[in-house]
Amino acid sequence: MRRRLLALLCVTASLVTGCGAVPGIGGSDRHTVTVWLMKDSASQDFLDRFTADFERDHPDLDLDIRIQEWTGIGEKVQTALEGEGEGEGEGGPDVIEVGNTQVPQYVDGNRLLDLTLESVAKWDKDEWLPGLADPGQRRFHQYGIPWYAANRVVIYRKDLFEQAGITAPPRTREEWLTATEKLNSGGNQGIYLAGQDWYTLSGFIWDEGGDLATEESGRWEGSLDTPAALRGMTYYQRLQALGAGPADADEEHPPQAGVFAAGEVAQIVAVPGLARAVVKQNPALEGKLGYFPVPGKSAAKPGAVFIGGSDLVVPRNTEQREGAVAVVAALAGAEWNTDLARTMNYVPNKAKLASAVAGEEGVAAMAAGAAQGRATPSTPEWAAVEADNPIKTYMTRVLGGADPATEARRASHSITQALTVSAG
């Protein structure tokens, strides 16, 4: 009925001035694309510049960017995807920024738009960082589009390295152990590595060819008890022993920035931005901190690391499909993706774009590691594992002297149970 009415109006108007001259008819219609982005993901200056450029290139579209808080965002996104409340009709989001590891929980229920065709034909899907792209994929269909990444590097004291006669950052894991052993003397800790830093452990497990959990015929099972995963834990033990990190706590208890700032630690494993908190607490360390990627088993490439960051998704219930896809294409495209990386000190979504942040030492180290980035198992049930994390308990027990194989089997069984119960 609406189309017939518009057609009638167009015919009537054309008798006077031509259809295109009638306000609100034909090509003059404008549509609003509502975008949910997370607080502090992008600066206001970036958003202002992006909005002006996008609306100039898309004269039929207006952007309504709404900043969201991370706290409680999961429930809010679920509500929007179900078409309720703020997620219904034109008031709901057409594009949503979500954490890369959150995508699997939103894919369930066929509530996200399948962007596989665009990903393959237009967006060079094969060039994305796997740690961002893989969680956004389900059964070879792409729903989450990589936006930006961040991952851990080694932050080190340049002055303590020099005092120990270490002239260059280590490039292999064995070199790292040797250097850390030299640094672990004279009242200094070679490294501060908390006993329950399971993200760092995950990288060592992945480097060995293992994983936290594996899937077979749709069933997920914990896999910390595989030989590869046990080798990763053995390396973690050796490295963690070269400092005084607590066996029964993670990197936030106490916050490792404060421990590092106290002045008796040579290295920590953290995102580069943590260095700002360190210097703020101890201004004497200004100019004394350096960065290098977590070393790999060989010098050919850095070690695997857990990669965090964000993907962009489009709700299936959007009424602005073309506009939403255009926003995703622009935000994730090379021009604005590298602009965001430079503005916010992020890693771009493709390894080939890393040169955009090469001028900043910490981000450059992060980008090198991101090429080997991985994410937690791509299942919506993984949140149940982290809720009562058996990996932390496993690490504490092994560092306390318990048999690694026995504890790995126990932890793997707990992971399997959590994934099975949650899925059921």
Side-chain angles (χ1 to χ4, degrees):
M1 178 64 72
R2 182 174 182 273
R3 289 183 179 179
R4 290 175 59 190
L5 179 60
L6 286 175
L8 180 60
L9 288 172
C10 186
V11 170
T12 303
S14 67
L15 296 176
V16 182
T17 60
C19 184
V22 179
I25 302 298
S28 62
D29 282 349
R30 296 185 65 82
H31 303 281
T32 297
V33 181
T34 301
V35 183
W36 283 8
L37 298 181
M38 302 310 299
K39 184 180 179 181
D40 298 328
S41 286
S43 67
Q44 190 58 52
D45 174 67
F46 173 88
L47 295 178
D48 290 344
R49 289 187 290 106
F50 174 78
T51 298
D53 184 80
F54 182 86
E55 291 180 348
R56 184 168 54 250
D57 289 345
H58 301 82
D60 59 329
L61 297 177
D62 292 319
L63 286 188
D64 178 12
I65 297 179
R66 304 180 186 179
I67 303 302
Q68 309 294 319
E69 297 283 347
W70 281 108
T71 302
I73 190 59
E75 183 177 352
K76 191 171 184 179
V77 171
Q78 296 284 16
T79 299
L81 296 180
E82 291 165 3
E84 301 174 1
E86 208 176 351
E88 187 173 6
E90 293 185 359
D94 302 298
V95 177
I96 309 175
E97 174 194 352
V98 299
N100 61 318
T101 60
Q102 295 175 336
V103 180
Q105 65 183 287
Y106 302 135
V107 171
D108 277 6
N110 196 30
R111 293 172 297 173
L112 295 182
L113 199 64
D114 186 343
L115 298 172
T116 307
L117 180 60
E118 291 86 352
S119 300
V120 173
K122 301 178 181 180
W123 299 338
D124 299 322
K125 174 181 181 294
D126 292 341
E127 296 179 358
W128 286 332
L129 295 174
L132 291 181
D134 291 351
Q137 184 180 119
R138 176 66 65 87
R139 298 184 180 90
F140 305 105
H141 291 264
Q142 195 74 39
Y143 299 92
I145 306 305
W147 192 23
Y148 66 83
N151 52 272
R152 290 162 175 76
V153 301
V154 183
I155 306 177
Y156 73 101
R157 287 274 302 273
K158 294 181 178 180
D159 54 333
L160 295 183
F161 267 55
E162 183 178 354
Q163 291 171 22
I166 303 170
T167 58
R171 297 183 60 197
T172 70
R173 291 197 334 197
E174 287 304 315
E175 289 177 0
W176 194 17
L177 283 174
T178 300
T180 304
E181 191 169 7
K182 288 182 180 179
L183 293 161
N184 193 43
S185 62
N188 292 323
Q189 297 183 52
I191 189 169
Y192 180 84
L193 186 59
Q196 295 182 349
D197 186 352
W198 69 280
Y199 287 119
T200 297
L201 169 64
S202 299
F204 300 154
I205 290 175
W206 291 327
D207 257 355
E208 294 290 349
D211 213 330
L212 307 177
T214 56
E215 180 188 21
E216 185 173 347
S217 302
R219 174 180 168 80
W220 283 89
E221 294 186 346
S223 55
L224 293 176
D225 54 338
T226 63
L230 286 168
R231 289 195 298 271
M233 185 65 217
T234 296
Y235 184 82
Y236 190 95
Q237 283 180 277
R238 296 174 64 192
L239 184 65
Q240 199 270 344
L242 299 175
D248 59 351
D250 62 25
E251 63 275 17
E252 291 300 323
H253 300 89
Q256 62 177 344
V259 178
F260 197 29
E264 297 180 344
V265 174
Q267 307 169 91
I268 57 172
V269 180
V271 294
L274 195 71
R276 289 192 293 271
V278 173
V279 173
K280 184 176 182 180
Q281 295 180 59
N282 185 354
L285 294 179
E286 181 75 48
K288 295 181 179 180
L289 301 182
Y291 314 83
F292 60 88
V294 172
K297 294 188 70 174
S298 74
K301 60 183 181 181
V305 290
F306 170 78
I307 190 168
S310 287
D311 283 11
L312 300 170
V313 299
V314 177
R316 191 176 179 85
N317 61 11
T318 179
E319 295 184 359
Q320 303 296 336
R321 184 190 188 284
E322 291 186 7
V325 171
V327 171
V328 172
L331 283 172
E335 177 184 357
W336 286 104
N337 196 244
T338 53
D339 190 312
L340 180 72
R342 286 191 294 264
T343 300
M344 302 300 295
N345 287 340
Y346 292 146
V347 177
N349 59 12
K350 296 178 180 178
K352 71 177 185 180
L353 301 178
S355 59
V357 294
E360 207 285 313
E361 183 185 0
V363 186
M366 189 165 59
Q372 313 304 322
R374 298 274 297 272
T376 50
S378 186
T379 167
E381 285 74 42
W382 184 256
V385 176
E386 293 192 28
D388 186 22
N389 201 325
I391 306 174
K392 290 185 173 183
T393 304
Y394 159 62
M395 297 173 71
T396 293
R397 288 175 174 168
V398 172
L399 294 175
D403 177 60
T406 299
E407 296 304 327
R409 285 193 296 271
R410 192 197 312 272
S412 294
H413 178 70
S414 295
I415 291 173
T416 300
Q417 279 191 313
L419 296 177
T420 303
V421 171
S422 180

